[in-house]
């Protein structure tokens, strides 16, 4: 199975997409924050990013889902900064404190090629939302140099449908978090408005584009939707409502990774309802509810 960007698009179509996305950065509305700053002239919005690409690290990663990792790892590129401001972020040094270094678009393309040469099964774009135009520009260069592995869009779920439509037939695997099912909790803990409304529309668009996760005979994911959901203490993530949405409005064949690794990090200690790990009972309740709704891929 060829990546969608080779199967469906030609370089001209990709360049048109890249130019349109770059235009969105002039009064930035790449994501639902719609900061309206001119990132091309160096202004920054909620994501604290100008147009220059910043990454913290890259390399084969073996801590992702097995279907992404395979034998040789998922080729992760960790982009610096984020369009969310989660008070408990586990990678807060990268996402909130801006730890990283600037690279050119040509260097980003070369990183993609280097990960492919190292045997990685995919290019895993971690927190890519605020650098989508540059990623598409880099993809054009990387294709000329022989890139031919799937692209993974690994995001927090706070995505603009307009931007996602520009990524149709570019992204092979969408991997959003669905963090909350309550807008007020999302605003309090992640500093964003209307998250539940936004993430539902975004995940529906992702699924429309790529469908359920397709895994080849070697157990490697090639195309489709993979949803992550981190269980938070005191049901702050609203897990049952998230599961109902997936089961009723996406697909019962959705690959859903229900994650149990929450621990208080960054500023979580300032919030009484976040300042502990989850219990086994809290996690088991979510798993059992997902099974009762007919969801089984990814966790059983």
């Amino acid at each position: 199975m060829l990546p969608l960007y080779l199967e469906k698009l030609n370089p001209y179509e990709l360049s048109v997409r890249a130019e349109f996305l770059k235009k969105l950065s002039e009064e930035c509305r790449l994501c639902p924050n719609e900061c309206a700053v001119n990132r091309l002239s160096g202004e920054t919005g909620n994501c604290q990013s100008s147009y220059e690409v910043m990454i913290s690290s890259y390399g084969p990663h073996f801590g992702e889902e097995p279907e992404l990792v395979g034998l040789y790892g998922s080729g992760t590129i960790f982009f610096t900064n984020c369009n969310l401001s989660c008070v408990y972020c586990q990678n807060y040094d990268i996402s909130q404190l801006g730890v990283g270094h600037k690279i050119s678009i040509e260097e980003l393309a070369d990183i993609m090629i280097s990960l492919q040469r190292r045997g990685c099964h995919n290019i895993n774009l971690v927190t890519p939302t605020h650098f989508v135009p540059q990623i598409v520009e880099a993809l054009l260069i990387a294709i000329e140099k022989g890139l031919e592995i799937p692209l993974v869009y690994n995001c927090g779920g706070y995505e603009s449908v307009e931007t996602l439509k520009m990524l149709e037939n570019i992204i092979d695997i969408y991997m959003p978090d669905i963090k909350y099912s309550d807008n007020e909790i999302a605003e309090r803990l992640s500093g964003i408005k209307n998250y539940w409304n936004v993430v539902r529309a975004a995940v529906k668009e992702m699924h429309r584009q790529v469908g359920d996760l397709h895994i080849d005979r070697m157990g490697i994911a090639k195309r489709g939707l993979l949803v992550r959901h981190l269980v938070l203490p005191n049901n702050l993530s609203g897990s049952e409502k998230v599961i109902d949405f997936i089961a009723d409005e996406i697909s019962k064949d959705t690959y859903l990774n229900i994650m149990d690794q929450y621990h208080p990090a960054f500023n979580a200690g300032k919030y009484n309802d976040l300042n502990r790990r989850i219990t086994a009972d809290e996690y088991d309740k979510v798993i059992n509810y997902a099974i009762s709704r007919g969801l089984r891929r990814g966790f059983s």
Side-chain angles (χ1 to χ4, degrees), residues 98-152:
V99 172
H101 60 279
K102 295 175 182 177
I103 61 169
S104 69
I105 289 170
E106 290 77 12
E107 288 171 320
L108 180 55
D110 287 340
I111 287 170
M112 294 179 184
I113 292 297
S114 73
L115 292 169
Q116 178 172 279
R117 286 174 178 163
R118 294 172 73 175
C120 294
H121 301 284
N122 46 67
I123 302 298
N124 188 341
L125 306 163
V126 183
T127 322
T129 309
H130 48 303
F131 290 127
V132 162
Q134 300 92 322
I135 289 167
V136 177
E137 288 185 62
L139 176 62
L140 268 165
I141 299 169
I143 289 171
E144 291 180 1
K145 296 184 176 185
L147 190 72
E148 56 181 7
I149 56 177
L151 297 186
V152 181

Side-chain angles (χ1 to χ4, degrees), residues 14-81:
L14 277 171
S15 65
V16 169
R17 302 272 191 99
E19 191 58 36
F20 178 86
L21 289 163
K22 187 174 183 178
K23 192 75 175 172
L24 291 183
S25 300
E26 289 184 352
E27 293 183 1
C28 194
R29 51 187 174 90
L30 284 169
C31 87
N33 284 315
E34 295 191 338
C35 299
V37 298
N38 187 343
R39 291 176 59 200
L40 298 182
S41 68
E43 295 178 4
T44 62
N46 286 19
C47 67
Q48 300 300 312
S49 300
S50 67
Y51 200 74
E52 292 181 292
V53 179
M54 287 189 68
I55 66 169
S56 65
S57 63
Y58 67 92
H61 189 22
F62 294 88
E64 304 282 55
E65 286 76 0
E67 292 80 1
L68 296 180
V69 169
L71 290 174
Y72 306 110
S74 179
T76 49
I77 305 173
F78 288 89
F79 292 94
T80 299
N81 296 326

